[in-house]
Amino acid sequence: MLLKQANEPFDDSRWLYEPKLDGHRLILTRVGGITKLYTRHQNECTRQYPELHCVPVDGDVILDGEVFCVNQHGQIDFELVMSRFQTKDDEKIAAAMKRQPVKYMVFDILYYNGRDLRGLPLLQRKEILDQVLQDTHTVSKVQFIEKEGTALFEAIRQQDMEGIVCKRKSSVYVGKRSSDWLKVINYQYADVYITGYRKGKFGWLVSMADFSGKLRSAGVIELGVPAIHKQAFYGVCKQLVTGEDKNFVYLEPRLQATVKFRNWTRSGMLRLPVFVDFVLTKHNFA
């Protein structure tokens, strides 16, 4: 079951609210004492996370949740869990377990001891989950609150976390994206220069000024650009071309745009930048 996007948090007694954890989705199955782990795309990743093989549950179960890593500053770090996910060698996995252990936060239970629970209302599934799963240092249940989504989002924003998830209490579990589950992202915003575009799949290269005032690459905008803005861009960009290669056409840094994004990567790139609007300015780096 996947989330749809909501632009703003809201308060509603028919909904419950959870913190959105910046990891990756993980389905855990434990049948006949054997644990298997799968991503949202049904890719098995049991080998990558040995610390999740011993689940504190009696009997057969299928759980849904988020796996994540915490960095040395105590912050949830998406790049760390991606590093764990991409580690396949057994010796490197064993070393990574000590260096960057994962945690699994469970927010739903889909099956328990021969009973398919997906048709039950969410709040009832939460009650069953609370009875079935005992919290440990590695595996625990996601905490939630009722009605007060705005207050939770403000607390999340102050802690610089990713956002919140809003779920209708009566929602059944469906294997697709649903408006009964919503995400509200705590976006950051920045103004960038559009310094090129892809020749194939849509994408605008963007750059930002560093501390010395020089432009550096900051990523690629692929999301959120309306057709009318694309048309306006391609109507003026030809006069700004400075060169090209096999994949990109490069432009003078005269066009600016505001983007919203999840956070900065360690390499100084915008993570998942989304176009907001063009910026009208007289300043440029030409």
Side-chain angles (χ1 to χ4, degrees):
M1 189 164 179
L2 301 175
L3 306 163
K4 289 193 174 182
Q5 182 97 27
N7 293 325
E8 301 288 342
F10 57 92
D11 297 334
D12 193 320
S13 60
R14 297 170 298 178
W15 294 68
L16 58 82
Y17 305 90
E18 303 168 344
K20 190 174 189 306
L21 304 172
D22 199 7
H24 77 75
R25 193 75 170 268
L26 190 74
I27 296 287
L28 182 151
T29 71
R30 185 169 179 81
V31 179
I34 298 175
T35 298
K36 292 188 178 182
L37 309 172
Y38 300 89
T39 71
R40 56 170 281 195
H41 299 294
Q42 300 182 12
N43 296 315
E44 186 174 353
C45 53
T46 309
R47 286 184 57 216
Q48 286 95 311
Y49 306 124
E51 58 264 62
L52 302 183
H53 292 182
C54 295
V55 188
V57 171
D58 293 327
D60 296 343
V61 70
I62 299 177
L63 304 174
D64 193 357
E66 194 88 357
V67 61
F68 64 94
C69 287
V70 175
N71 63 25
Q72 59 185 348
H73 305 295
Q75 300 169 319
I76 296 176
D77 192 318
F78 180 74
E79 290 182 74
L80 283 182
V81 77
M82 284 297 97
S83 174
R84 280 294 308 267
F85 177 72
Q86 293 163 2
T87 301
K88 305 294 174 66
D89 178 82
D90 289 339
E91 291 186 6
K92 292 181 179 179
I93 290 172
M97 285 176 61
K98 299 178 180 179
R99 185 176 64 254
Q100 51 195 60
V102 300
K103 297 180 183 295
Y104 184 44
M105 295 294 283
V106 182
F107 50 70
D108 216 330
I109 182 168
L110 314 185
Y111 173 92
Y112 182 60
N113 280 345
R115 185 184 179 193
D116 186 346
L117 306 177
R118 291 174 295 175
L120 298 178
L122 172 62
L123 210 54
Q124 189 173 346
R125 298 199 306 273
K126 290 277 193 184
E127 292 171 356
I128 295 172
L129 176 63
D130 195 49
Q131 296 168 4
V132 167
L133 181 66
Q134 302 299 314
D135 289 350
T136 69
H137 179 68
T138 304
V139 180
S140 57
K141 298 178 287 290
V142 173
Q143 298 300 305
F144 66 89
I145 65 172
E146 301 181 44
K147 186 179 178 180
E148 311 240 349
T150 304
L152 178 61
F153 185 81
E154 179 59 23
I156 291 294
R157 189 189 64 79
Q158 292 182 8
Q159 297 179 57
D160 200 26
M161 294 176 65
E162 189 187 13
I164 65 171
V165 175
C166 317
K167 297 178 178 178
R168 194 181 295 276
K169 293 178 184 178
S170 61
S171 61
V172 298
Y173 192 99
V174 294
K176 60 183 179 180
R177 201 168 297 280
S178 170
S179 57
D180 283 338
W181 285 16
L182 305 173
K183 57 185 175 182
V184 185
I185 302 299
N186 176 30
Y187 282 111
Q188 299 182 47
Y189 290 81
D191 290 343
V192 298
Y193 289 88
I194 303 175
T195 50
Y197 61 90
R198 283 201 190 110
K199 291 183 175 179
K201 177 185 175 184
F202 173 77
W204 290 346
L205 296 176
V206 296
S207 300
M208 296 187 68
D210 61 19
F211 291 112
S212 67
K214 295 182 179 179
L215 283 183
R216 63 169 182 82
S217 176
V220 181
I221 299 175
E222 297 178 326
L223 305 172
V225 186
I228 190 170
H229 289 73
K230 292 180 181 179
Q231 184 179 2
F233 170 81
Y234 291 115
V236 301
C237 71
K238 292 181 180 179
Q239 57 189 306
L240 303 177
V241 173
T242 61
E244 61 181 283
D245 58 23
K246 180 180 178 181
N247 299 312
F248 296 98
V249 175
Y250 300 97
L251 308 174
E252 295 178 25
R254 292 182 179 271
L255 300 175
Q256 272 192 288
T258 299
V259 296
K260 59 183 182 181
F261 60 101
R262 298 289 182 93
N263 51 34
W264 296 99
T265 69
R266 285 198 185 85
S267 59
M269 307 296 277
L270 301 163
R271 180 176 162 216
L272 297 176
V274 178
F275 178 84
V276 176
D277 205 350
F278 288 121
V279 176
L280 299 178
T281 177
K282 294 181 181 180
H283 300 288
N284 61 71
F285 280 76

